[in-house]
Amino acid sequence: MPELPEVESIRLVLERRLVGRVVKKCPFVRLKPWNPASERMLSHIFHPFNEAKMSVLLGVSQKAYVRAYEASLRYFFKHIEGKVFSQIRRSGKYLLFYFTSLHRTEQSSKNDAITTPKARSVQKETQHTKIQDTEAKFLSSGECLLVVHLKMAGQLLIVEPGEINRSDHVHLMMVFERMSKKRRIGIKQESQWLLYRDTRFGELLPIFEKSYLNELFGVEKSRNLERHVRISAPLKMAFSKRQRAVFETLYLAVVKRLARVGVDPYYEVKARVYKVIAAAVMKYSDKALYDFLMDGSYLAGIGNIYANEISHLTGLAPLRKMRLLTEKEQRELTTHLRYVLKGAVASHGTSLDKSISNKNSRINGKQAVSFKKSTHFRLPDGMPGTYARTLRVYGRAGLQCLRKQCRGKIVKQRHAGRSLYFCPQCQY
Ligand SMILES: [Zn+2]
């Protein structure tokens, strides 16, 4: 499962390779999961809502709602064609793709600096200000946004045409090309293909920024409205209250989800991370350290692998109660937490294939092509992350503890449906 270091590594590659390019087209959008098993769990990969509930809310039949929903999503991907992929950001494990009209790209980056809110103290953060902060921070700097959560097995891959079949669990295909002002006669435009592949069920949430939604659907600008209706005519779409409602509910879902994301231990300064830990020691008294680390509403983006690694490096048992952490241990936890996450981002995350965790194996660019077909974690260019070689406890049950002068062996234990790995000798 991709955690903060993996998602950040993906973001860095996409930023380097694709940001600043124009979306040429989105030739393929598949709304339903490929896997019949996951179909039972979630009817649509793009679908964050209960259909029955939504149809009641909007006062239409369930079928009509689903039709409006699917048409709206197709409209979104048609609409971003010709727009610039202006930036990519991360909030916890969410990736946010921003698409902006060519003439607006400069303007929006200026606004961005002004609207980013100052860090507030943890105690003062109420839900209301959190939602406002979230909107100001993430949802006011682009016209169209695609919010992606990779969940268990989602992958974003940059491929050559034909390298991966659509039927290989692909849900979204986007073609990018360089900005037209750089185009020179006689030079063939080199396109980049981005795929979203998922063997299970990730989340793709396409939304329009609030004021842009007004621009598209608003009554005041009826001339614009006509223009857009004409553009989308091949899609047999007409703007209606229903479709606007679909985008408004999607927007709300995204705001709520992003507002729940806690402090980012990778981006934020050390003092702020420490503050969250110290506050949790007071509030979270009887909960275990592992559960605290895994709860994304405190510190965002830490999952099973890194929660185990952080606990071992700090010398704390994963099931140690938060209230029993001394001030010294809280400071050590802050330091080691950041050390582990930064190290993992520097190694481009953790891919758990056996051949990669072997320290002597070398990975070259040619292998990347076949790597893309794997369902393990991959960077968009197909390369695996190499942090598996640095793992101290995760996946090492029965092996010697790596702490100097410790003779313990790593133990694996089930906890709340997940695996804990720790050394009973030096973690307490
Ligand atoms: Zn040990």
Side-chain angles (χ1 to χ4, degrees):
M1 177 179 185
E3 302 177 28
L4 185 151
E6 287 79 35
V7 180
E8 180 65 17
S9 305
I10 291 172
R11 193 192 74 78
L12 288 167
V13 175
L14 293 179
E15 188 173 60
R16 197 174 65 234
R17 297 270 306 262
L18 297 181
V19 165
R21 284 173 180 256
V22 175
V23 181
K24 194 180 168 195
K25 56 181 175 176
C26 303
F28 185 66
V29 181
R30 185 185 158 96
L31 305 170
K32 287 181 176 163
W34 292 89
N35 188 347
S38 52
E39 189 136 10
R40 250 176 279 126
M41 298 166 84
L42 195 81
S43 58
H44 297 75
I45 204 143
F46 291 90
H47 204 298
F49 308 110
N50 180 307
E51 283 158 26
K53 201 174 151 194
M54 283 308 296
S55 68
V56 172
L57 268 176
L58 296 175
V60 293
S61 76
Q62 218 163 303
K63 221 176 173 183
Y65 165 67
V66 171
R67 219 181 301 129
Y69 193 87
E70 293 185 351
S72 305
L73 297 188
R74 292 216 158 81
Y75 171 69
F76 177 90
F77 289 105
K78 191 84 200 149
H79 191 80
I80 60 170
E81 288 178 5
K83 290 199 188 292
V84 181
F85 178 22
S86 52
Q87 57 169 323
I88 179 163
R89 297 170 73 180
R90 180 181 60 77
S91 170
K93 295 178 194 169
Y94 287 98
L95 276 175
L96 291 87
F97 293 67
Y98 293 81
F99 302 98
T100 320
S101 301
L102 216 54
H103 63 276
R104 286 204 202 179
T105 31
E106 276 180 26
Q107 198 188 338
S108 74
S109 59
K110 271 180 211 157
N111 289 344
D112 194 32
I114 302 161
T115 51
T116 304
K118 283 175 198 162
R120 283 195 173 83
S121 79
V122 181
Q123 286 86 351
K124 281 179 190 165
E125 235 166 41
T126 62
Q127 194 56 31
H128 184 66
T129 59
K130 252 194 146 179
I131 281 179
Q132 283 179 334
D133 279 359
T134 305
E135 287 195 276
K137 195 172 170 190
F138 294 113
L139 306 176
S140 60
S141 46
E143 292 170 3
C144 315
L145 268 97
L146 179 63
V147 181
V148 179
H149 195 301
L150 302 168
K151 296 272 169 165
M152 301 299 284
Q155 291 176 320
L156 287 157
L157 295 170
I158 298 172
V159 298
E160 300 287 323
E163 203 172 34
I164 280 178
N165 285 334
R166 286 177 180 193
S167 56
D168 191 16
H169 298 281
V170 172
H171 284 279
L172 178 64
M173 209 180 257
M174 294 169 100
V175 185
F176 293 88
E177 66 177 10
R178 286 193 198 284
M179 287 240 229
S180 54
K181 59 181 172 187
K182 285 179 188 164
R183 187 178 288 170
R184 290 194 192 102
I185 301 159
I187 296 172
K188 207 185 158 201
Q189 284 295 300
E190 160 222 5
S191 303
Q192 301 260 25
W193 293 57
L194 179 69
L195 300 186
Y196 175 77
R197 186 170 67 166
D198 203 333
T199 50
R200 299 185 69 180
F201 48 93
E203 265 179 3
L204 298 176
L205 305 171
I207 60 167
F208 289 116
E209 194 258 308
K210 241 184 196 170
S211 61
Y212 191 64
L213 193 68
N214 285 335
E215 216 172 283
L216 286 179
F217 294 89
V219 225
E220 294 89 350
K221 297 189 176 179
S222 52
R223 265 188 212 162
N224 272 353
L225 198 69
E226 278 164 31
R227 190 163 58 86
H228 284 294
V229 171
R230 223 173 32 242
I231 289 167
S232 60
L235 284 171
K236 287 187 184 163
M237 276 221 19
F239 286 101
S240 67
K241 276 185 186 169
R242 209 174 289 166
Q243 267 127 20
R244 188 193 171 118
V246 166
F247 283 117
E248 275 173 354
T249 30
L250 267 171
Y251 182 87
L252 274 177
V254 169
V255 172
K256 278 186 189 159
R257 269 160 222 224
L258 293 181
R260 251 182 267 139
V261 173
V263 168
D264 197 292
Y266 181 75
Y267 291 150
E268 286 291 348
V269 292
K270 199 172 168 183
R272 189 147 152 79
V273 177
Y274 173 72
K275 228 171 181 177
V276 175
I277 293 172
V281 170
M282 305 287 286
K283 265 198 288 183
Y284 220 56
S285 55
D286 261 344
K287 287 282 160 64
L289 166 67
Y290 176 84
D291 295 330
F292 163 73
L293 291 174
M294 295 286 286
D295 186 338
S297 62
Y298 286 85
L299 293 172
I302 302 170
N304 191 29
I305 295 177
Y306 299 104
N308 278 305
E309 292 300 308
I310 292 162
S311 305
H312 183 263
L313 195 62
T314 320
L316 293 168
L319 293 180
R320 174 85 169 270
K321 293 220 171 23
M322 280 304 278
R323 70 180 148 84
L324 298 177
L325 257 59
T326 63
E327 206 194 309
K328 186 170 168 256
E329 284 167 338
Q330 292 168 35
R331 295 204 180 275
E332 281 172 1
L333 179 62
T334 313
T335 310
H336 291 138
L337 195 145
R338 287 159 58 82
Y339 178 81
V340 167
L341 294 176
K342 290 195 171 182
V345 172
S347 310
H348 315 296
T350 306
S351 298
L352 290 169
D353 330 28
K354 278 199 180 119
S355 61
I356 289 150
S357 34
N358 182 351
K359 278 188 180 151
N360 298 321
S361 68
R362 291 215 181 127
I363 299 152
N364 59 44
K366 279 179 194 163
Q367 280 176 299
V369 175
S370 61
F371 276 151
K372 279 179 192 165
K373 291 185 176 138
S374 164
T375 50
H376 286 285
F377 166 70
R378 292 294 179 257
L379 293 169
D381 54 12
M383 296 299 271
T386 54
Y387 195 71
R389 296 167 183 176
T390 318
L391 293 178
R392 299 160 62 90
V393 283
Y394 187 85
R396 294 190 69 246
L399 297 175
Q400 185 69 42
C401 172
L402 293 177
R403 196 185 304 276
K404 269 180 196 169
Q405 290 164 344
C406 175
R407 290 184 178 174
K409 286 208 163 109
I410 306 301
V411 171
K412 182 181 176 182
Q413 188 185 317
R414 295 298 284 174
H415 170 71
R418 295 176 183 274
S419 303
L420 300 181
Y421 293 90
F422 60 96
C423 169
Q425 294 278 320
C426 63
Q427 286 177 265
Y428 41 84

